[in-house]
Amino acid sequence: MNNSILKIQKVTKVFGGLVAVNKLDLELAEHGIHSVIGPNGAGKTTLFNCITGFYKPESGDIIFGDHLLVGMLPNRITYLGISRTYQNIRLFSNLTAIENILVGQHPRLRAGMVDAIFKTPRMIKEEKEALEEARRLLNFVNLKGKGDLLSKNLPYGDQRRLEIARALASKPKILLLDEPTAGMNPSETQAMVHFIRRLRDELGITILLIEHQMRVVMSISEFITVLDFGEKIAEGTAAEIQNNPKVIEAYLGRGAASGLSQKQAAAAA
Amino acid sequence: MLKRFRERFTTTDFFMWLIGGSIVTLVVVGSIATLSQGTYTIRHWFDFLVFGLAQGSVYALIALGYTLVYGILRMINFAHSEVFMSGAYIGFFFATAMKKSGFLDGNPLLALLIIFAVAMTISVVIAVLLERVAYRPLRKAPRLVPLITAIGASFFLQETFRTLFGSASKAYPDMNALKGTFALGGPFIIQKIQVLVIVAAALMMLALYLYVMRTKTGKAMRAVSEDKDTASLMGIDVDAIIVRTFVLGAAAAGAGGVLYCLMFRQINAYMGFVPSIKAFTAAVLGGIGNLPGAMLGSLFLGLFESIGPILFLDGLGVPAPYQLKDVIAFTMLVLVLIFRPTGILGERLATTKA
Amino acid sequence: MLKRLQASNWYSALQMGLLGGIIAILVSLVGMVEEFSLRDIVFNVIDMGQTILLMILVLIGNFTYRRSQSARSLNKWLEAALAGAVVGLMLWLLVLLIPALNMRAVFLNASPRLIQILTFGNEGVIALVLMLVVGGIGSLAGAVIQTLPSRYSNAIFQGIIWVALIGLLQELLQVILTTLGAHGATNWLFGDKGLSVVGAVVIFGVVLALTLYRSGNRTTLQARIKALPPASQWAIRWISFAVAIPLVWILPTILTTYPTDVANSVGLYILMGLGLNIVVGFAGLLDLGYVAFFAIGAYVMGVLTTTATGPNAGQIVWGPQFTFWEALPISVFAAVMAGVFLGIPVLNIRGDYLAIVTLGFGEIIRIMAGSDFLKPYIGGSQGIVEVGVGQIGPMFFNSPRTLFYLIFLCILLAFFISTRLRDSRIGRAWKALREDEDVAQAMGIHLVSTKLMAFATGAAMAGLSGAIFASKIGSIYPHSFKLLVSINVLALIIVGGMGSIPGVFVGGLLVFGLPELLREFSEYRLLVYGALLVVMMLTKPEGFMPEATRQQELHDAMSEGGAAPPESAPKLAKSPAKSGS
């Protein structure tokens, strides 16, 4: 963990009486793939919301470069270079696929009202480049030819990838993926794993991942943090996590059949 | 440190505090000026107070409907003003008929009960129809759609009543039993009608509150307002509960309509708009979705509106300050939403974000 | 017994009949039937009041037929006829009850004339039989239309609509045709009121034939244009502009004064509609206080240009004398500033509250305008008179004809700005905001400033409209700026299609043009708007002219090479990060 890009220090988030995230410390290595796992309600999505500025933690610091993210507006955080996807896909459903990506490029573009009304050369050039970039991203996520469809009319897997493309459009340094393989069959999942690796290898983006499928987590992550009831119970590489008694207890002790079978599957893999 | 501050404190915040600050200053200076001039005696202030309470009680009855429906559907039932108006309007025909036959003054209590029953029934029927025809099919639609439907329904009902019964305002018949005043000793005098309004409204609210808090249906309502899907998994018939919510709100609004007419003695198809928008303000003021909040907010708004114009503006030399009482109410709405959007008592809703 | 009845198909027909009966009774009692009976569609044959009742019958018949579970179509027809007969029966009961209960004491429109219209002037059993038969036949017609192939039913429908429309607009069309020199045509086409029988048959036949021909051709004109390469599409668009603009330009010379004046009112509403379309349609901010900006535009124009100033000469004590042209940009600027100042506190507020707060703001402005407090400055309830008039050389912008050109140019400007903004980065941000505010923010869109831009642009257009309005009317009073105006404009953009710029024009013509020309309608205008908003939201929330999606992943771009990765992220990501710190 020599060059960390994002530092989360003692972050606590409380809803009413419920402590969703409790004094959490986390560091993200640059160009790494980092997974956050844990049973339902462990505070994973809350953590994402804290990083992206939708929740303001009660205490603690989130440091990105020389910026303190706590209390910053979400748009500003995106602007600094952190973007995300959602667990339940949240595309702009009545916009076309390509428009979704163009919206994603918003923080990188400059054209203001005057440019728009008078179609200044600067804006024409910018729009042309933005459109080209959007097409490139569309190709990159294998949605070539589907750019003019309304995003709500795309099949599920395409929507997932479009959402990632939209997040990539802002040229983030860190990409937060919230269960990117949820609801996918094994072959789609495999493709997604491959795709996430490509994001890191080809684009050099640091990836923070929430994932439930152990097979995915174990095969892709370079570093894993395990949350339970808002607290970090373990962290380490895939091998370390698999043998950590606390993790096994968190999953097995609860008797959650799905957790058990996934764990076994992961061990077998 | 400065950088951190600048990244967080936006121009918007600055403007908001500027606006809020200047209004508060105005209010304070105006109040001091009015009080130091001493134009108004303690008796005046007492009259304002009672009037404010009576007005606030009516607002409260309307506000309950807004707050209940918002609590469950997260929707501003814009047509609630017409639910309020329709009951009072039909009640008016019964009242005039009874006035003509002498029944109204012969058996005032029974007559009043009949008027209330008619008004509440009509309000309930209108509200249930609204829910069934206009709102239920749109429950899953984007936020703006049911709101626009509600606005359309509101205008449709308003105009239907106007064209059916004529545009002219009609005078509600007066009841001999409600004329006159009670002397409370000293300079304090209170009108009988105001007593009736405050007592009746208080009883209604109490009954409603107990219904929501103590009965099984009430519990189901609260469950639905927390989470519709889970509630339906628990075996609660969500549609039926929503209808009942509308019924409750409409019954309260119908009663409020009659009280309003008894107090202001005038009726027309547009009478619902202003009190309802105030009532909504009051519901927001108290924290929408929160029943005691709506009641408290309404009383507060009623008082504010009756005392405020004189207290804040008279001292500043503003001519005819009562013309501006609606301005004061609306300004208050904006201020509340800016500085405490969850209202005085806080919302009872889990506002889900992201 | 009841259970068996409920299970049978007749029961649902009865239900539909009851529903239709209630609607028909409502329409009768609010006075529409009587009021509209003054306007003939086909002279001496059918008037508009009857048409409305007939339409109810046809629709009820149609619905009954479609909802029917019966296997045999004969049964379905009989059911439809039954539903229609029920409507007739209910109206007959109404006719009986009106004198019996002295309903007129409560329902003002329950007049003898209404009874006469409903019973076709007959009494007793004859009336009953006649009403039942007409009801049955009307609904049967509705059912029969449904059995035809959709091509034919659609054509018949179109034919009826055009006959009704042309019949209703007889006065206007007669004037236009006479000016164009087609004097002969008007004589056989129209009667004293409405169409002549011959005219109706001819129009119906022509429309029927045209629709059948077009539906036979399958591909619509729009689809054919879309199939063309972009360059020719572009050319077609500009050619149609080049044809349309001169056409509109000569319109006032064809029309007489009154229709031109109507066109001007419609134009001012369209101008407002273009503005509100940005706020509601693009950005999804439901602004119910939109009239406030219209009022501010009007008042600034009034105060700055009125010649009735001084304590004795007029109501206003203070009046810097500006000309119309100087005051116009100031009015727009004032409206924009109001938009910004209102917007800053208000736009932080959660979505659904916005409607109420803006509504409150609109009311504040209206009450302030009418208050004694501001009377010395803006005239209070007596308003401002003698508002200035624009002048270029010898041309004064105070007649409908000259104003028409001014308004037309302003609409063109607003249209241009709307289109440009829609297709820009800001337009996309607005749409994203409309779809999902939280995600839009997560995409890096600054919520308040983006909303402010929508608000300010909308306010500018309303302010412009208000300023011209003040000059057009010559005097302004607070009661011109009621909530109704906001609702009217909202109805306009919803009918046209939220977010659709051409929709604003369609909505303006449908919602304002038509009713202005049918003066009987004014009494029921809001009633119909209210119903229209509800029905549109329930059945066609996207409006008559839905917002079109843009084709941006163009065909020629598709031929480019394979899935090349986008430029490496970190390299580019640095630039925004740097400028942000």
Side-chain angles (χ1 to χ4, degrees), chain B residues 176-321:
Chain B
N176 291 335
L178 292 176
K179 283 180 186 160
T181 54
F182 292 121
L184 299 179
F188 304 123
I189 295 172
I190 183 167
Q191 288 175 19
K192 282 182 182 171
I193 177 74
Q194 290 174 335
V195 176
L196 171 81
V197 169
I198 295 172
V199 171
L203 286 178
M204 276 293 298
M205 285 188 278
L206 188 70
L208 215 126
Y209 183 72
L210 290 178
Y211 184 81
V212 174
M213 287 302 160
R214 295 284 159 82
T215 63
K216 209 176 151 191
T217 317
K219 198 184 269 178
M221 268 176 199
R222 283 178 287 142
V224 173
S225 86
E226 280 299 325
D227 187 334
K228 274 200 263 310
D229 297 331
T230 313
S232 81
L233 287 178
M234 299 295 147
I236 295 171
D237 182 348
V238 173
D239 279 343
I241 292 298
I242 289 174
V243 170
R244 272 183 218 188
T245 314
F246 272 87
V247 167
L248 275 193
V258 175
L259 292 177
Y260 186 83
C261 292
L262 288 174
M263 204 157 62
F264 294 102
R265 306 270 318 283
Q266 242 202 16
I267 188 154
N268 63 55
Y270 301 124
M271 65 179 262
F273 176 68
V274 173
S276 300
I277 197 101
K278 304 269 182 62
F280 179 79
T281 306
V284 174
L285 199 63
I288 199 149
N290 180 335
L291 286 186
M295 301 172 196
L296 203 74
S298 303
L299 291 182
F300 187 65
L301 188 73
L303 285 175
F304 205 77
E305 220 183 88
S306 118
I307 297 176
I310 300 290
L311 184 63
F312 307 149
L313 298 177
D314 195 63
L316 298 176
V318 174

Side-chain angles (χ1 to χ4, degrees), chain C residues 143 200 284 492 532:
Chain C
L492 180 161
L532 202 64

Side-chain angles (χ1 to χ4, degrees), chain C residues 237-319:
Chain C
R237 189 164 357 131
W238 281 104
I239 289 169
S240 53
F241 265 121
V243 175
I245 290 177
L247 264 185
V248 177
W249 201 251
I250 57 163
L251 207 59
T253 51
I254 300 174
L255 297 174
T256 47
T257 310
Y258 178 68
T260 312
D261 202 38
V262 170
N264 287 344
S265 304
V266 174
L268 288 178
Y269 269 113
I270 288 179
L271 196 51
M272 273 206 275
L274 284 168
L276 192 65
N277 187 45
I278 291 177
V279 183
V280 181
F282 292 171
L285 307 165
L286 188 54
D287 179 1
L288 295 181
Y290 192 59
V291 63
F293 305 123
F294 181 70
I296 287 169
Y299 264 99
V300 171
M301 173 59 78
V303 168
L304 292 183
T305 64
T306 178
T307 44
T309 50
N312 302 320
Q315 292 95 338
I316 298 178
V317 294
W318 169 79

Side-chain angles (χ1 to χ4, degrees), chain A residues 31 54 67 73-76 78-80 84 86 90 92-96 98-99 102-104 106-113 116-119 123 126-127 131 133 135-140 143-148 150 166 171-173 198 202-205, chain C residues 416-417 420-421 423-426 428-447 450 453-454 456-457 549-554 556-570 572-574 576-577 579-581:
Chain A
H31 308 311
F54 275 100
H67 301 278
L73 285 173
N75 50 298
R76 186 109 187 92
T78 310
Y79 187 78
L80 293 177
R84 72 173 292 184
Y86 294 84
R90 288 175 78 174
F92 303 116
S93 47
N94 290 312
L95 267 55
T96 60
I98 211 154
E99 274 176 320
L102 285 169
V103 171
H106 186 90
R108 299 198 304 113
L109 306 180
R110 288 285 155 275
M113 250 173 137
I117 292 172
F118 295 105
K119 259 198 185 167
M123 149 150 178
E126 185 184 277
E127 281 290 294
L131 203 58
E133 174 69 13
R135 287 196 196 113
R136 247 201 311 271
L137 276 166
L138 215 53
N139 284 352
F140 184 65
L143 286 174
K144 195 178 168 190
K146 296 182 179 172
D148 289 328
L150 289 186
R166 185 181 66 179
K171 302 270 183 219
K173 292 174 184 163
R198 249 182 95 198
E202 292 178 24
L203 306 179
I205 298 171
Chain C
F416 176 75
I417 291 176
R420 280 280 167 93
L421 286 178
D423 297 339
S424 73
R425 166 176 178 259
I426 294 166
R428 286 193 301 264
W430 284 337
K431 284 193 217 161
L433 210 69
R434 178 185 72 188
E435 296 290 316
D436 190 330
E437 211 172 290
D438 290 339
V439 180
Q441 197 178 20
M443 291 299 118
I445 292 167
H446 192 286
L447 293 187
T450 310
M453 275 190 260
T457 320
T549 55
R550 284 177 82 204
Q551 303 286 313
Q552 281 176 309
E553 196 191 7
L554 297 171
D556 51 356
M558 301 293 297
S559 52
E560 278 169 25
E567 295 160 54
S568 77
L572 258 169
K574 264 176 196 132
S579 53
S581 55

Side-chain angles (χ1 to χ4, degrees), chain A residues 85-91 156 160 163 178-179 182, chain B residues 354:
Chain A
T85 66
Y86 294 84
Q87 188 178 342
N88 45 338
I89 304 170
R90 288 175 78 174
L91 288 165
Y156 183 82
R160 278 260 174 237
E163 209 189 14
D178 198 342
E179 296 196 28

Side-chain angles (χ1 to χ4, degrees), chain A residues 55 66-68 70 72 90, chain B residues 3-4 7-8 353-354:
Chain A
Y55 292 156
D66 50 354
H67 301 278
L68 287 165
V70 174
M72 226 182 240
R90 288 175 78 174
Chain B
K3 184 182 152 205
R4 188 170 182 176
E7 277 184 340
R8 276 150 197 79
K353 257 204 150 189

Side-chain angles (χ1 to χ4, degrees), chain B residues 13 23 26 37 46 49 56 97 104 182 252 267 285 300 330:
Chain B
D13 296 333
I23 288 175
L26 211 70
Q37 280 167 6
F46 181 75
L49 185 86
L104 191 67
F182 292 121
I267 188 154
L285 199 63
F300 187 65
F330 291 132

